Amino acid sequence: IFLLESEGDLVSTRKNALLMAAYEVLIYIAPLITAPYIARVLGTSGTGIYSYTYSIASYFVIAIQLGVSIYGRREIASKITQKERTKTFWSIFVCLFISFIVASIAFVIILFYSDDNIKPYLVWQYPVLVAGWLDIGWFFFGIEQFKLAVSRNIIVKVLSLVLVFLLIRTENDTLTYVILMATTNIISVLAMWLALPKYLTKETLELREIVGHLKQLLILAVPVISIQLYSITDKVFLGLMMDLDSVGIYENMYKLSRVPVALITTMGTVLLPRITNMIAMGKEIETYNYIEKSLSLTLIIASFCSFGLISISPWLVPWYYGDAFSSGIPVLQVLSIILIIIAWGNVFRSQFIIPRRLDSIYLISVVAAAIINIILNLVFIPLWGIIGAAIASVVSELVVCIYQCIRIRDSFNFANMLKRNLQYFLAGIVMCIIVTIIGHAIDKGSTIAILLLICIGSISFIATVYAFETITNTRVMKNEIRNIVYKIHKKR
């Protein structure tokens, strides 16, 4: 994929990218496997209750973790020795313990004043807070040990899938579902602690270092909280301004639209610690090769997923969730637009802005987006309901992307980058048109029809990209196909 310093770097980056993709997809795919079953068993009311209470718990998880998902990875990656990493890890974890205590107190207060009908479900969301505190995935990602996080989560996720089908039978099992999902979260993160000792040494912590990390975590917590606000606020506002059925429909469409995000953001997650480490070693110029190559590859994936979901939604939603969720089709189509915006913004955010510690750019953009999201939800939800909430999410993400690009425009020629990658957007549009035309002649309730449309869409997209790359003399997708064919041939 990349112009790396050595063949070892290439293999390592590819391996980490695949492992990270597996990890991210696993997080989203597990609930999606059970989603059609849960949607039918618990109904819009049961899924709405779970989504609403989990969204509230998620606010507190955000407060507990502060900005550790970004800050923790970056700080661990910038430390060369095991001694430095140990002191950094425990100093950051002490900060998280402080935020956990504060959030727990606030959660109890919210619980005391919550509606009696919701209270039992909210109580059993508390393990989500505990899991958020104990989640040390940021440490393993910082040292590029992605395999540890992936392998220890697969078993837990598979177990939770089996238990869902065994224990959740009727709408009365909504509370059981809440308990099951919350407790498996804790088991998942505890598994990573078993592998931690081999990477740490015994060191004495200093109050000065803890306070220093706490200050930086609080600063980076602002954009992280803001991002999560406009990814959760829409569901909370729908619950307050409409009904829990609307929350259930929106939540399921949102989950489906977020699955490709795991693939889209994979390269950014993998390359953040590597680029941070390269900058620490004085190899900043080389990082531009990573950014340019990963942008094209990320946009290929995003264009395929975005336009693919838009075109197949009328057939996918009724087949996957049932006819009761058909009103969510336009919601999914609107949310699919956000994938391309996320793809573009994530590359520059995770591979340029954050590794170079340009935190003010990151902070201002997402705070502004969160404020805009709240305002737009208040205006759009009364006007257009769940579609209005989807539009608000798209606009908020666009604000983040545009502002960040404006601030770093002196370092990149965005016009040339957009022109060079425009062919992938056009390929997505071509695929969308082909799938839509053929889809109208196919039975909407057929599994074979869904698979056929996916195959047609995939083939048309690959063929169109191949044609465009031949015309423009670019080889991003061609190189990837060539590498895959080479590996298959080599194994034989």
Side-chain angles (χ1 to χ4, degrees):
I1 303 171
F2 303 105
L3 264 168
L4 301 179
E5 297 175 288
S6 67
E7 185 177 351
D9 283 335
L10 177 60
V11 173
S12 176
T13 300
R14 287 182 181 277
K15 182 179 179 181
N16 286 339
L18 290 173
L19 286 171
M20 195 60 222
Y23 177 79
E24 294 288 353
V25 170
L26 182 64
I27 293 175
Y28 287 105
I29 209 69
L32 276 181
I33 291 174
T34 59
Y37 177 76
I38 292 299
R40 288 168 172 80
V41 173
L42 299 185
T44 56
S45 177
T47 54
I49 289 173
Y50 172 76
S51 176
Y52 184 66
T53 55
Y54 181 76
S55 295
I56 293 174
S58 296
Y59 280 122
F60 292 94
V61 172
I62 296 165
I64 291 168
Q65 294 183 336
L66 300 173
V68 74
S69 61
I70 295 173
Y71 180 79
R73 273 184 289 158
R74 187 177 71 184
E75 291 303 302
I76 294 297
S78 66
K79 301 299 181 284
I80 307 300
T81 66
Q82 192 174 34
K83 178 180 179 179
E84 290 177 323
R85 287 175 177 172
T86 300
K87 295 184 74 172
T88 299
F89 171 79
W90 286 116
S91 296
I92 292 175
F93 191 73
V94 169
C95 297
L96 297 182
F97 176 72
I98 295 171
S99 62
F100 171 69
I101 296 299
V102 174
S104 295
I105 295 171
F107 184 82
V108 172
I109 295 173
I110 294 296
L111 182 63
F112 181 78
Y113 289 102
S114 63
D115 188 278
D116 289 339
N117 295 324
I118 297 295
K119 191 173 293 184
Y121 304 97
L122 198 55
V123 167
W124 281 102
Q125 292 288 8
Y126 183 73
V128 175
L129 276 68
V130 179
W133 166 48
L134 296 175
D135 188 355
I136 53 172
W138 50 271
F139 174 79
F140 291 104
F141 295 157
I143 60 175
E144 298 192 67
Q145 291 294 329
F146 298 95
K147 185 177 180 180
L148 287 168
V150 173
S151 60
R152 282 161 176 75
N153 276 281
I154 289 177
I155 296 176
V156 176
K157 292 297 182 183
V158 171
L159 177 63
S160 67
L161 288 176
V162 174
L163 290 175
V164 164
F165 289 114
L166 289 176
L167 301 178
I168 311 303
R169 297 290 187 179
T170 68
E171 191 172 345
N172 296 327
D173 293 327
T174 300
L175 181 58
T176 304
Y177 180 68
V178 172
I179 295 172
L180 178 61
M181 300 310 293
T183 51
T184 51
N185 272 341
I186 292 183
I187 297 173
S188 180
V189 298
L190 285 177
M192 286 188 284
W193 281 84
L194 298 176
L196 184 64
K198 66 181 290 188
Y199 296 97
L200 301 177
T201 58
K202 292 184 179 180
E203 304 293 339
T204 302
L205 300 182
E206 298 179 13
L207 181 61
R208 175 178 56 83
E209 289 187 15
I210 296 173
V211 173
H213 286 302
L214 183 59
K215 288 180 179 178
Q216 292 300 313
L217 280 167
L218 288 171
I219 292 173
L220 271 179
V222 176
V224 172
I225 290 172
S226 299
I227 287 175
Q228 295 300 321
L229 276 176
Y230 69 75
S231 68
I232 296 175
T233 301
D234 44 12
K235 283 164 273 191
V236 175
F237 278 13
L238 282 170
L240 294 173
M241 301 171 69
M242 295 188 69
D243 51 54
L244 292 179
D245 286 358
S246 298
V247 179
I249 293 171
Y250 184 86
E251 170 70 358
N252 281 285
M253 299 307 111
Y254 183 82
K255 283 180 180 178
L256 200 55
S257 70
R258 299 299 290 185
V259 173
V261 174
L263 297 173
I264 292 169
T265 59
T266 291
M267 294 315 305
T269 304
V270 170
L271 289 176
L272 190 153
R274 174 158 295 190
I275 289 178
T276 301
N277 187 261
M278 289 178 68
I279 293 173
M281 294 167 55
K283 301 178 180 179
E284 186 167 339
I285 296 177
E286 290 91 331
T287 63
Y288 283 87
N289 287 327
Y290 286 84
I291 295 173
E292 187 171 329
K293 297 288 184 179
S294 64
L295 177 64
S296 295
L297 183 62
T298 302
L299 289 177
I300 290 175
I301 298 171
S303 298
F304 173 73
C305 295
S306 178
F307 290 105
L309 275 177
I310 291 172
S311 60
I312 204 173
S313 292
W315 295 269
L316 179 63
V317 172
W319 170 79
Y320 192 69
Y321 290 112
D323 292 334
F325 288 82
S326 293
S327 60
I329 293 173
V331 177
L332 179 58
Q333 291 175 323
V334 172
L335 290 174
S336 298
I337 300 171
I338 208 172
L339 298 177
I340 294 176
I341 303 172
I342 289 176
W344 183 278
N346 182 260
V347 168
F348 296 102
R349 181 163 54 250
S350 61
Q351 298 176 42
F352 185 85
I353 294 174
I354 295 173
R356 286 163 179 77
R357 303 179 185 273
L358 302 174
D359 298 337
S360 62
I361 297 176
Y362 184 47
L363 190 152
I364 295 173
S365 63
V366 294
V367 169
I371 295 172
I372 291 172
N373 181 257
I374 292 173
I375 295 172
L376 293 180
N377 271 299
L378 290 172
V379 175
F380 290 170
I381 290 177
L383 290 175
W384 303 309
I386 53 179
I387 297 178
I391 295 173
S393 294
V394 174
V395 174
S396 300
E397 190 67 39
L398 187 60
V399 168
V400 174
C401 185
I402 291 175
Y403 177 79
Q404 290 175 355
C405 287
I406 291 174
R407 289 293 303 273
I408 62 173
R409 64 186 182 278
D410 293 336
S411 300
F412 298 96
N413 189 330
F414 288 115
N416 283 344
M417 285 183 163
L418 183 60
K419 182 180 178 180
R420 189 161 52 246
N421 292 289
L422 184 62
Q423 57 189 321
Y424 306 125
F425 304 146
L426 296 176
I429 294 173
V430 171
M431 174 188 63
C432 187
I433 294 172
I434 292 173
V435 171
T436 301
I437 293 173
I438 295 176
H440 284 299
I442 293 178
D443 179 18
K444 288 189 176 182
S446 171
T447 302
I448 296 177
I450 298 294
L451 295 175
L452 180 61
L453 288 176
I454 291 174
C455 290
I456 292 171
S458 301
I459 293 171
S460 63
F461 182 80
I462 293 172
T464 307
V465 171
Y466 194 93
F468 280 140
E469 286 194 345
T470 301
I471 295 171
T472 59
N473 196 28
T474 51
R475 303 185 59 84
V476 179
M477 192 187 72
K478 284 184 179 181
N479 285 341
E480 289 304 307
I481 294 176
R482 184 190 63 184
N483 289 328
I484 293 172
V485 172
Y486 172 75
K487 287 184 177 180
I488 295 174
H489 179 73
K490 188 177 180 180
K491 287 181 179 180
R492 290 179 178 177

